[in-house]
Amino acid sequence: MQPQNRMRLYQATDAMDGNKGTVVVYNYKTGQTVCMVSAPNYDPLEVPEDIDTNTSGKYDGIYLNRAISGVFTPGSTFKVVTAICAIENIPGIYDKTFNCTGKYTTGKGEGNGDVICHSTHGKITFEEGLNYSCNVVFGTIATYLGAEKLTETVRQLGFGENVTISKADAVRSTFDLTDTTRLDVGWAGIGQYTTLVNPCQMLMLMGGIANGGKAMIPYLVESSSELVDIKGKVNTAFTLSPETASAIKKLLRSNVENYYGDELFPGLEMCGKTGTAEVPPDEDHAWFVGFSQRIDFPYAVVVCLENGGSGYDDAIPVANAVLQALDED
């Protein structure tokens, strides 16, 4: 491992503050991965003596690369996918308003029920719904779109397809709305239900949006002479028009400008989306996915802290710490 890559590993691991999970950063123009950390981890030069005998759970999954071989409930990060589907299938979506009373009732009778929101947002627009991560807005949109259109968009964005990352096959993301109820579809549209995503797939989603609809496949480099055969490969399973990429990019920028705050990402001109994924009976997964729109800093990032708390409180600081360290290189 190159000294610079080793330093980034230490920086990302420190930023994760003992949480299990993964952090990945790549250049969305070229596909070069500049940081890929899975925790817990260890330094191959200083292997812990009790790595195979400790029963406390400290080293659970230590041989698993969660970035490539893990799948997790995405929570509200998946609203980016639902938003893309809405932009492409609901005329006048930006002019529509929604009334969040704290829950959205999908209908009456069998197969229906309530999609619960984390707050009561009142009357809000589509853009504000993404800013506030309103479950009522996106539950409503998901059930309106229906299982067929949502599934079509998911496939269009490459979820569920095989992707090889530096000779390693990433685990497929799963999105299955076969024989679902309206309530199931509502929950799926906000990143719950049975949906599971691979972190590198979310990274490519961010990269594809940032790169005008062209998603580069991440690749790893240990030295300048390695892996030249896979540099700069486009993910052909990913399809997003430049117009839709531009539209969702503006919404993700609005999230940071109008809700999270640019002060959480000093100087980075970030676009992004948090997620706090419910995985009962355990603590929530904390997510942040996003990218810098600075021309001289074309990097996308994904942070997933397994049972790590809140996307806003826990994942954003990790993303910022890693990106700031990269910006200083």
Side-chain angles (χ1 to χ4, degrees), residues 233-291:
K233 280 196 173 182
V234 177
N235 182 358
T236 56
F238 183 97
T239 306
L240 187 67
S241 71
E243 293 77 17
T244 301
S246 177
I248 193 68
K249 180 178 180 179
K250 289 176 182 176
L251 291 175
L252 295 177
R253 178 63 184 140
S254 175
N255 284 347
V256 178
E257 282 187 306
N258 299 322
Y259 189 68
Y260 310 141
D262 273 324
E263 66 273 11
L264 298 183
F265 302 98
L268 296 181
E269 298 180 25
M270 285 296 290
C271 307
K273 182 73 187 77
T274 57
T276 303
E278 297 178 7
V279 283
D282 300 315
E283 190 174 359
D284 300 338
H285 295 333
W287 284 87
F288 179 78
V289 296
F291 54 88

Side-chain angles (χ1 to χ4, degrees), residues 96-104 117-130 132-138 140:
K96 296 184 181 299
T97 57
F98 305 81
N99 185 30
C100 173
T101 62
K103 67 179 180 179
Y104 164 60
C117 193
H118 54 84
S119 185
T120 302
H121 297 110
K123 188 175 181 180
I124 55 176
T125 64
F126 172 57
E127 179 175 338
E128 291 170 333
L130 192 62
Y132 303 147
S133 201
C134 178
N135 289 350
V136 167
V137 170
F138 280 87
T140 303

Side-chain angles (χ1 to χ4, degrees), residues 52 79 96 98 100 115 219 226 234 249 273 277 306-307:
D52 293 319
K79 288 171 182 169
K96 296 184 181 299
F98 305 81
C100 173
V115 175
Y219 69 89
E226 292 181 344
V234 177
K249 180 178 180 179
K273 182 73 187 77
E306 189 177 340
N307 310 123

Side-chain angles (χ1 to χ4, degrees), residues 78 81 84-85 88-89 145-159 161 175 177 237-240:
F78 200 77
V81 176
I84 289 171
C85 189
E88 294 186 335
N89 291 285
L145 290 165
E148 185 175 344
K149 282 188 170 61
L150 281 172
T151 300
E152 181 181 339
T153 297
V154 167
R155 290 175 178 166
Q156 164 193 326
L157 297 175
F159 288 86
E161 297 296 324
F175 184 82
L177 296 185
F238 183 97
T239 306
L240 187 67

Side-chain angles (χ1 to χ4, degrees), residues 35-49:
C35 175
M36 180 180 284
V37 172
S38 179
N41 55 50
Y42 64 95
D43 188 333
L45 301 179
E46 299 180 12
V47 180
E49 293 183 359

Side-chain angles (χ1 to χ4, degrees), residues 28 63 198 221 262 292:
Y28 55 75
Y63 299 120
N198 172 262
V221 174
D262 273 324
S292 170

